[in-house]
Amino acid sequence: MNEADPITVACLDLAGTTVADGDTVRTAFAEAIAALGIVSGTAAHERALARFHESCGGSKIDIFRSLFDEPRARAANLAFERSYGQLVDRHGLKPVPGADRALQRIRTAGVSVCLLTGFGRSTQARILDTLGWWDRVDLTLCPEDVPRGRPWPDLVLTAALRLGADDVRNIAVCGDTAADMLSGRRSGASIVAGVLTGAHDRHRLLAAGATHILPSVAALPDLVLPAPVGDTVTADHG
């Protein structure tokens, strides 16, 4: 980290970055499109899943809008949120190992934390309720809060405005998808860290503009916080 541009705002993604997802999001997506008549074993199903993987990190309602007209997209989004909630009821949610401690360390150091997501507000709130994370963050944002979701920079820039960042170079972004990386780079954030615990691999994250690759969000505090005098912080730079 450049000492001339200390990080004052950290924008972290949810599923795949701070929240261990497994296949919960994919399963909820498959159940949602099945409710709209796109069933497993069909070419349309394979195309929809390919679209989902390509667009991971983006607004879920926008993904459905790319597949359906507006009324059906809204119906699919509601089905997705219902399915996701039912999966959480059955299987629970867990943070990525070290995520809770990372959030604590970053906030304790005086850096404001914003959790960003492509989920709708109700699903985002469900995740924070389940994990008990409301007191871990300063701000939460979802696609309903901005004109455009990821990969556009609106979520990060809105966080910067609401949390009083003096300069976009004082922002760090952390996520597991190409959309997260593109959003961070387009916002002007000085650190755009990709993590290897979610949807996209190292190559995809670097191609989308990651400045650093981390094994997980647990390594983020050592990247964004000033190192104690005499310590050397090493990072996998993109």
Side-chain angles (χ1 to χ4, degrees):
M1 187 185 70
N2 183 350
E3 292 183 0
D5 299 317
I7 298 302
T8 60
V9 173
C11 296
L12 288 72
D13 176 56
L14 280 176
T17 302
T18 54
V19 180
D21 173 56
D23 63 354
T24 304
V25 177
R26 185 183 186 279
T27 300
F29 179 83
E31 291 180 354
I33 61 174
L36 273 292
I38 299 180
V39 296
S40 179
T42 64
H45 186 267
E46 293 306 310
R47 287 195 299 270
L49 286 181
R51 175 64 179 161
F52 166 78
H53 185 70
E54 176 69 22
S55 304
C56 278
S59 164
K60 298 301 177 287
I61 183 63
D62 286 346
I63 296 174
F64 290 123
R65 283 172 175 149
S66 73
L67 299 172
F68 306 110
D69 60 27
E70 184 65 18
R72 298 181 76 211
R74 290 187 177 277
N77 193 57
L78 287 173
F80 171 84
E81 292 184 342
R82 182 169 56 250
S83 176
Y84 188 89
Q86 291 170 347
L87 289 166
V88 170
D89 286 341
R90 291 199 296 270
H91 305 296
L93 279 179
K94 293 182 179 179
V96 168
D100 192 67
R101 175 61 177 154
L103 293 175
Q104 288 182 305
R105 285 185 61 195
I106 291 169
R107 288 192 81 220
T108 298
V111 177
S112 297
V113 171
C114 177
L115 289 179
L116 308 178
T117 188
F119 294 134
R121 183 173 288 111
S122 63
T123 300
Q124 183 184 44
R126 178 64 178 275
I127 292 170
L128 270 67
D129 284 340
T130 301
L131 295 177
W133 271 4
W134 289 106
D135 64 350
R136 293 283 189 269
V137 301
D138 300 283
L139 180 66
T140 63
L141 293 174
C142 68
E144 296 163 54
D145 297 311
V146 292
R148 302 171 299 178
R150 295 177 301 207
W152 308 113
D154 301 31
L155 283 166
V156 178
L157 295 176
T158 298
L161 288 169
R162 294 196 187 180
L163 294 172
D166 293 330
D167 191 314
V168 292
R169 290 171 295 184
N170 299 133
I171 302 170
V173 173
C174 184
D176 67 297
T177 69
D180 296 320
M181 302 300 98
L182 286 166
S183 178
R185 291 305 294 264
R186 289 168 173 173
S187 75
S190 63
I191 291 176
V192 181
V195 295
L196 301 177
T197 52
H200 293 155
D201 61 18
R202 173 189 170 88
H203 174 77
R204 184 75 183 278
L205 296 169
L206 288 173
T211 61
H212 302 77
I213 300 295
L214 304 176
S216 81
V217 71
L220 186 65
D222 290 334
L223 178 62
V224 304
L225 302 179
V229 176
D231 285 3
T232 301
V233 177
T234 58
D236 184 358
H237 293 263

Coordinates of all heavy atoms in Angstrom, one line a residue, residues 49-92:
L49 N -27.4 -21.1 -17.4 CA -26.4 -21.3 -16.4 C -25.1 -20.7 -16.9 O -24.3 -20.1 -16.0 CB -26.2 -22.8 -16.1 CG -27.3 -23.5 -15.3 CD1 -26.9 -24.9 -15.1 CD2 -27.4 -22.8 -14.0
A50 N -24.8 -20.7 -18.2 CA -23.6 -20.1 -18.7 C -23.7 -18.6 -18.5 O -22.7 -17.9 -18.1 CB -23.4 -20.4 -20.2
R51 N -24.8 -18.0 -18.7 CA -25.0 -16.6 -18.5 C -24.8 -16.2 -17.0 O -24.2 -15.2 -16.7 CB -26.4 -16.2 -19.0 CG -26.8 -14.8 -18.7 CD -26.0 -13.8 -19.4 NE -26.4 -12.4 -19.2 CZ -25.6 -11.4 -19.4 NH1 -24.4 -11.5 -19.8 NH2 -26.0 -10.1 -19.1
F52 N -25.4 -17.1 -16.2 CA -25.2 -16.9 -14.7 C -23.7 -16.8 -14.3 O -23.3 -15.9 -13.6 CB -25.9 -18.0 -14.0 CG -25.6 -18.1 -12.5 CD1 -26.1 -17.2 -11.6 CD2 -24.7 -19.0 -12.0 CE1 -25.8 -17.2 -10.3 CE2 -24.4 -19.1 -10.7 CZ -24.9 -18.2 -9.8
H53 N -23.0 -17.8 -14.8 CA -21.5 -17.9 -14.4 C -20.8 -16.7 -15.0 O -19.9 -16.1 -14.3 CB -20.9 -19.2 -14.9 CG -19.5 -19.4 -14.5 ND1 -19.2 -19.6 -13.2 CD2 -18.3 -19.3 -15.2 CE1 -17.8 -19.7 -13.1 NE2 -17.3 -19.5 -14.3
E54 N -21.1 -16.3 -16.2 CA -20.4 -15.2 -16.8 C -20.7 -13.9 -16.1 O -19.8 -13.0 -16.0 CB -20.9 -15.0 -18.3 CG -20.4 -13.8 -19.0 CD -18.9 -13.9 -19.3 OE1 -18.4 -15.0 -19.3 OE2 -18.3 -12.9 -19.5
S55 N -21.9 -13.8 -15.5 CA -22.3 -12.5 -14.9 C -22.2 -12.6 -13.4 O -22.7 -11.7 -12.7 CB -23.8 -12.3 -15.3 OG -23.9 -12.2 -16.7
C56 N -21.6 -13.6 -12.8 CA -21.4 -13.7 -11.3 C -20.9 -12.3 -10.8 O -19.9 -11.8 -11.3 CB -20.5 -14.8 -10.9 SG -21.3 -16.4 -10.9
G57 N -21.5 -11.9 -9.7 CA -21.1 -10.6 -9.1 C -22.0 -9.5 -9.5 O -22.0 -8.4 -8.8
G58 N -22.7 -9.6 -10.6 CA -23.5 -8.6 -11.1 C -24.9 -8.6 -10.4 O -25.2 -9.6 -9.6
S59 N -25.7 -7.7 -10.7 CA -27.1 -7.6 -10.1 C -27.9 -8.8 -10.6 O -27.9 -9.1 -11.8 CB -27.7 -6.3 -10.6 OG -29.1 -6.4 -10.4
K60 N -28.5 -9.5 -9.6 CA -29.3 -10.7 -10.0 C -30.5 -10.3 -10.8 O -30.8 -11.0 -11.8 CB -29.7 -11.4 -8.7 CG -28.6 -11.9 -7.8 CD -27.7 -12.9 -8.6 CE -26.5 -13.4 -7.8 NZ -25.4 -12.3 -7.6
I61 N -31.1 -9.2 -10.5 CA -32.3 -8.9 -11.3 C -31.8 -8.5 -12.8 O -32.6 -8.9 -13.7 CB -33.0 -7.7 -10.7 CG1 -34.3 -7.3 -11.5 CG2 -32.2 -6.5 -10.5 CD1 -35.3 -8.4 -11.6
D62 N -30.6 -8.0 -12.9 CA -30.2 -7.7 -14.3 C -29.9 -9.0 -15.0 O -30.1 -9.0 -16.3 CB -28.9 -6.8 -14.2 CG -29.2 -5.4 -13.9 OD1 -30.4 -5.0 -13.9 OD2 -28.3 -4.6 -13.6
I63 N -29.4 -10.0 -14.3 CA -29.1 -11.3 -15.0 C -30.5 -11.8 -15.5 O -30.6 -12.3 -16.6 CB -28.5 -12.3 -14.0 CG1 -27.1 -11.8 -13.7 CG2 -28.3 -13.7 -14.7 CD1 -26.4 -12.6 -12.6
F64 N -31.5 -11.8 -14.6 CA -32.8 -12.3 -15.1 C -33.4 -11.4 -16.2 O -34.0 -12.0 -17.1 CB -33.8 -12.3 -13.9 CG -33.4 -13.4 -12.9 CD1 -33.2 -13.0 -11.5 CD2 -33.3 -14.7 -13.2 CE1 -32.9 -14.0 -10.6 CE2 -33.0 -15.7 -12.3 CZ -32.8 -15.4 -11.0
R65 N -33.1 -10.1 -16.2 CA -33.6 -9.3 -17.3 C -32.9 -9.6 -18.6 O -33.5 -9.4 -19.7 CB -33.3 -7.8 -17.0 CG -34.3 -7.2 -16.0 CD -33.9 -5.9 -15.5 NE -34.9 -5.3 -14.6 CZ -34.7 -4.4 -13.6 NH1 -33.4 -4.0 -13.4 NH2 -35.7 -4.0 -12.9
S66 N -31.7 -10.2 -18.6 CA -31.0 -10.6 -19.8 C -31.6 -11.9 -20.3 O -31.4 -12.3 -21.5 CB -29.5 -10.8 -19.5 OG -29.3 -12.0 -18.8
L67 N -32.4 -12.6 -19.5 CA -33.0 -13.9 -19.9 C -34.5 -13.8 -20.2 O -35.1 -14.5 -21.0 CB -32.8 -14.9 -18.8 CG -31.4 -15.3 -18.5 CD1 -31.4 -16.2 -17.2 CD2 -30.7 -16.0 -19.6
F68 N -35.2 -12.8 -19.6 CA -36.7 -12.7 -19.6 C -37.1 -11.3 -19.9 O -36.3 -10.4 -19.7 CB -37.3 -13.2 -18.3 CG -36.9 -14.6 -17.9 CD1 -36.1 -14.8 -16.8 CD2 -37.3 -15.7 -18.6 CE1 -35.7 -16.0 -16.3 CE2 -36.9 -17.0 -18.2 CZ -36.1 -17.2 -17.0
D69 N -38.4 -11.2 -20.2 CA -39.0 -9.8 -20.3 C -39.1 -9.3 -18.8 O -39.0 -10.1 -17.9 CB -40.3 -9.8 -21.0 CG -41.4 -10.7 -20.5 OD1 -41.3 -11.0 -19.3 OD2 -42.2 -11.1 -21.2
E70 N -39.5 -8.0 -18.7 CA -39.5 -7.4 -17.3 C -40.4 -8.2 -16.3 O -40.0 -8.5 -15.2 CB -39.9 -6.0 -17.4 CG -39.8 -5.2 -16.1 CD -38.4 -5.1 -15.5 OE1 -37.4 -5.3 -16.2 OE2 -38.3 -4.8 -14.3
P71 N -41.7 -8.4 -16.7 CA -42.5 -9.1 -15.7 C -42.0 -10.5 -15.3 O -42.0 -10.9 -14.1 CB -43.9 -9.3 -16.4 CG -43.9 -8.2 -17.4 CD -42.4 -8.1 -17.9
R72 N -41.5 -11.3 -16.2 CA -40.9 -12.6 -15.9 C -39.6 -12.5 -15.2 O -39.3 -13.3 -14.3 CB -40.8 -13.4 -17.2 CG -42.1 -13.7 -17.9 CD -41.9 -14.5 -19.1 NE -41.7 -15.9 -18.7 CZ -40.9 -16.8 -19.5 NH1 -40.3 -16.3 -20.5 NH2 -40.8 -18.0 -19.1
A73 N -38.8 -11.4 -15.5 CA -37.6 -11.2 -14.8 C -37.8 -11.0 -13.3 O -37.1 -11.5 -12.4 CB -36.8 -10.1 -15.4
R74 N -38.8 -10.1 -13.0 CA -39.2 -9.8 -11.6 C -39.7 -11.1 -10.9 O -39.4 -11.3 -9.7 CB -40.2 -8.7 -11.6 CG -39.6 -7.4 -12.0 CD -40.6 -6.2 -11.8 NE -40.0 -4.9 -12.1 CZ -39.2 -4.2 -11.2 NH1 -39.0 -4.7 -10.0 NH2 -38.7 -3.1 -11.6
A75 N -40.5 -11.9 -11.6 CA -41.0 -13.1 -11.0 C -39.8 -14.1 -10.7 O -39.8 -14.7 -9.7 CB -42.0 -13.8 -12.0
A76 N -38.8 -14.2 -11.6 CA -37.7 -15.0 -11.4 C -36.8 -14.5 -10.3 O -36.3 -15.3 -9.5 CB -36.8 -15.1 -12.7
N77 N -36.7 -13.2 -10.1 CA -35.9 -12.7 -9.0 C -36.6 -13.0 -7.7 O -35.9 -13.3 -6.7 CB -35.8 -11.2 -9.2 CG -34.7 -10.6 -8.3 OD1 -33.5 -11.0 -8.3 ND2 -35.1 -9.6 -7.5
L78 N -37.9 -12.9 -7.6 CA -38.6 -13.2 -6.4 C -38.5 -14.7 -6.1 O -38.3 -15.1 -4.9 CB -40.1 -12.9 -6.5 CG -40.5 -11.4 -6.5 CD1 -41.9 -11.2 -6.8 CD2 -40.1 -10.8 -5.1
A79 N -38.5 -15.5 -7.1 CA -38.3 -17.0 -6.9 C -36.9 -17.3 -6.4 O -36.7 -18.1 -5.6 CB -38.6 -17.7 -8.2
F80 N -35.9 -16.5 -7.0 CA -34.5 -16.7 -6.5 C -34.4 -16.3 -5.0 O -33.8 -17.1 -4.3 CB -33.6 -15.8 -7.3 CG -32.2 -15.7 -6.8 CD1 -31.3 -16.7 -7.1 CD2 -31.8 -14.7 -6.0 CE1 -30.0 -16.7 -6.6 CE2 -30.5 -14.6 -5.5 CZ -29.6 -15.6 -5.8
E81 N -35.0 -15.2 -4.6 CA -34.9 -14.8 -3.2 C -35.6 -15.8 -2.3 O -35.0 -16.1 -1.2 CB -35.4 -13.4 -3.1 CG -34.6 -12.3 -3.8 CD -35.1 -10.9 -3.6 OE1 -36.3 -10.7 -3.1 OE2 -34.3 -10.0 -3.8
R82 N -36.7 -16.3 -2.7 CA -37.4 -17.3 -1.9 C -36.6 -18.6 -1.8 O -36.4 -19.1 -0.7 CB -38.8 -17.6 -2.5 CG -39.6 -18.5 -1.7 CD -41.0 -18.6 -2.2 NE -41.1 -18.9 -3.7 CZ -41.5 -18.0 -4.6 NH1 -41.8 -16.8 -4.3 NH2 -41.5 -18.4 -5.9
S83 N -36.0 -19.0 -2.9 CA -35.2 -20.2 -2.9 C -34.0 -20.1 -2.0 O -33.6 -21.0 -1.2 CB -34.9 -20.6 -4.3 OG -34.0 -21.8 -4.3
Y84 N -33.3 -18.9 -2.2 CA -32.1 -18.7 -1.4 C -32.4 -18.7 0.1 O -31.7 -19.3 0.9 CB -31.5 -17.3 -1.8 CG -30.1 -17.1 -1.2 CD1 -29.0 -17.5 -1.8 CD2 -30.0 -16.5 0.0 CE1 -27.7 -17.3 -1.3 CE2 -28.8 -16.2 0.6 CZ -27.6 -16.7 0.0 OH -26.4 -16.5 0.5
G85 N -33.5 -18.1 0.5 CA -33.9 -18.0 1.9 C -34.2 -19.4 2.4 O -33.8 -19.8 3.5
Q86 N -34.9 -20.3 1.6 CA -35.2 -21.6 2.0 C -33.9 -22.5 2.2 O -33.8 -23.3 3.1 CB -36.1 -22.3 1.0 CG -37.5 -21.7 1.0 CD -38.4 -22.1 -0.1 OE1 -37.9 -22.7 -1.1 NE2 -39.7 -21.9 -0.1
L87 N -32.9 -22.2 1.3 CA -31.7 -23.0 1.4 C -30.9 -22.5 2.6 O -30.3 -23.4 3.3 CB -30.8 -22.7 0.1 CG -31.3 -23.3 -1.2 CD1 -30.6 -22.7 -2.4 CD2 -31.1 -24.9 -1.1
V88 N -31.0 -21.3 3.0 CA -30.3 -20.8 4.2 C -31.0 -21.4 5.4 O -30.3 -21.9 6.4 CB -30.4 -19.3 4.3 CG1 -29.9 -18.8 5.7 CG2 -29.5 -18.7 3.2
D89 N -32.3 -21.5 5.4 CA -33.1 -22.2 6.5 C -32.6 -23.6 6.7 O -32.5 -24.1 7.8 CB -34.6 -22.1 6.2 CG -35.2 -20.8 6.4 OD1 -34.6 -19.9 7.0 OD2 -36.3 -20.5 5.8
R90 N -32.4 -24.3 5.5 CA -32.1 -25.7 5.6 C -30.6 -26.0 6.0 O -30.3 -26.9 6.7 CB -32.4 -26.4 4.3 CG -33.9 -26.6 4.0 CD -34.1 -27.6 3.0 NE -33.6 -27.3 1.7 CZ -34.2 -26.6 0.7 NH1 -35.4 -26.2 0.9 NH2 -33.6 -26.4 -0.5
H91 N -29.7 -25.2 5.4 CA -28.3 -25.5 5.5 C -27.5 -24.4 6.3 O -26.3 -24.7 6.6 CB -27.7 -25.6 4.1 CG -28.4 -26.6 3.2 ND1 -28.4 -27.9 3.5 CD2 -29.1 -26.4 2.1 CE1 -29.1 -28.6 2.6 NE2 -29.5 -27.7 1.7
G92 N -28.1 -23.3 6.6 CA -27.4 -22.2 7.3 C -26.4 -21.5 6.4 O -26.3 -21.7 5.2

